[in-house]
């Protein structure tokens, strides 16, 4: 269209959009706990996760999954837990019991919050954290028999001599041993 003045055909105005209210769930290493903090192999341990909501809306039905990620393939620990509601600016706690039998050593415990991404959040990258649980060996004796700890009296017997055999059995374990039976055999 032909106009008298072409320089006044355009203008600008800023439109401010309000962010949609949404929760933002997060978990960090400091919010993962263990009770007892350093269990012994075979001891039941409660794993705790405090999930924070730093978004601007409440979150409901928040699923939390605990995993043992020590090996190459993560293994779920118990069933997923559900926190009914986490108001904005608040937190909620999930817990599960972990069986430590046969798992002595460092265990990588991972917590996944909203693992299926059912809750719309502005940031999804802060929904997982891991912490190491140190599971110590159960106290056990370790009995050691060394040939250097076996002695004879007389030291050089002859045929028909009565010989007294002395044997010292050592315990190099971290627990006492009692009612230990020692058997000596003539293997000639």
């Amino acid at each position: 269209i032909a106009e008298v003045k072409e320089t006044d055909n355009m203008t600008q105005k800023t439109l401010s959009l309000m962010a949609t209210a949404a929760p933002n769930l997060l978990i960090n290493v400091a919010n993962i706990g263990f009770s007892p903090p350093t269990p012994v192999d075979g001891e039941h341990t409660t794993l705790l996760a405090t999930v924070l909501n730093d978004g601007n809306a409440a979150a409901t039905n928040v699923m939390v999954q605990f995993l043992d990620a020590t090996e190459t393939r993560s293994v779920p620990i118990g069933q997923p837990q559900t926190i009914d509601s986490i108001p904005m600016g608040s937190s909620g706690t999930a817990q599960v019991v972990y069986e430590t039998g046969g798992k002595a050593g460092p265990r990588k415990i991972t917590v996944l919050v909203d693992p299926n991404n059912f809750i719309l959040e502005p940031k999804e990258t802060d929904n997982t954290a891991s912490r190491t649980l140190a599971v110590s060996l159960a106290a056990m004796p370790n009995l050691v028999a060394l040939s250097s700890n076996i002695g004879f009296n007389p030291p050089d017997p002859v045929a028909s001599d009565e010989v007294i055999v002395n044997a010292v059995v050592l315990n190099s374990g971290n627990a006492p041993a009692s009612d230990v039976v020692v058997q000596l055999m003539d293997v000639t």
Side-chain angles (χ1 to χ4, degrees), residues 6 17 40 45 49 88 118 127 136 144:
E6 294 287 338
L17 299 175
V40 174
T45 303
M88 66 180 199
F118 290 150
N127 288 8
S136 58
V144 179

Side-chain angles (χ1 to χ4, degrees), residues 25-27 31 48-53 62 64 82-87 89-95 113:
L25 303 169
L26 66 110
I27 183 77
N31 292 347
L48 304 144
T50 301
V51 179
L52 308 172
N53 179 2
V62 178
V64 179
T82 301
I83 301 171
D84 292 333
S85 178
I86 305 175
S90 191
S91 63
T93 302
Q95 67 182 39
V113 178

Side-chain angles (χ1 to χ4, degrees), residues 92-162:
T93 302
Q95 67 182 39
V96 69
V97 175
Y98 180 54
E99 304 289 335
T100 64
K103 297 176 182 165
R107 307 303 299 183
K108 181 179 177 184
I109 304 300
T110 297
V111 177
L112 296 173
V113 178
D114 188 29
N116 300 314
N117 293 321
F118 290 150
I119 300 172
L120 181 62
E121 302 175 69
K123 186 177 179 186
E124 298 284 352
T125 58
D126 54 1
N127 288 8
T128 184
S130 298
R131 183 171 174 200
T132 300
L133 172 66
V135 179
S136 58
L137 283 171
M140 295 179 67
N142 184 42
L143 303 177
V144 179
L146 302 171
S147 60
S148 60
N149 289 346
I150 298 174
F152 305 105
N153 189 10
D156 298 311
V158 293
S160 76
D161 279 353
E162 184 177 297

Side-chain angles (χ1 to χ4, degrees), residues 12-90:
Q12 287 183 322
K13 185 172 183 178
T14 302
L15 174 63
S16 297
L17 299 175
M18 298 283 292
T20 303
N24 187 57
L25 303 169
L26 66 110
I27 183 77
N28 56 49
V29 175
N31 292 347
I32 299 173
F34 312 122
S35 179
T38 52
V40 174
D41 184 5
E43 188 173 17
H44 295 261
T45 303
T46 301
L47 309 178
L48 304 144
T50 301
V51 179
L52 308 172
N53 179 2
D54 69 355
N56 57 6
T60 58
N61 298 318
V62 178
M63 186 181 294
V64 179
Q65 178 66 66
F66 293 84
L67 301 167
D68 184 339
T70 305
E71 308 300 328
T72 53
R73 190 173 145 250
S74 296
V75 177
I77 301 169
Q79 294 297 314
Q81 304 298 301
T82 301
I83 301 171
D84 292 333
S85 178
I86 305 175
M88 66 180 199
S90 191

Side-chain angles (χ1 to χ4, degrees), residues 164-183:
I164 297 174
V165 178
N166 294 307
V168 176
V169 177
L170 306 172
N171 182 358
S172 66
N174 57 3
S178 60
D179 300 324
V180 176
V181 176
V182 177
Q183 181 178 2

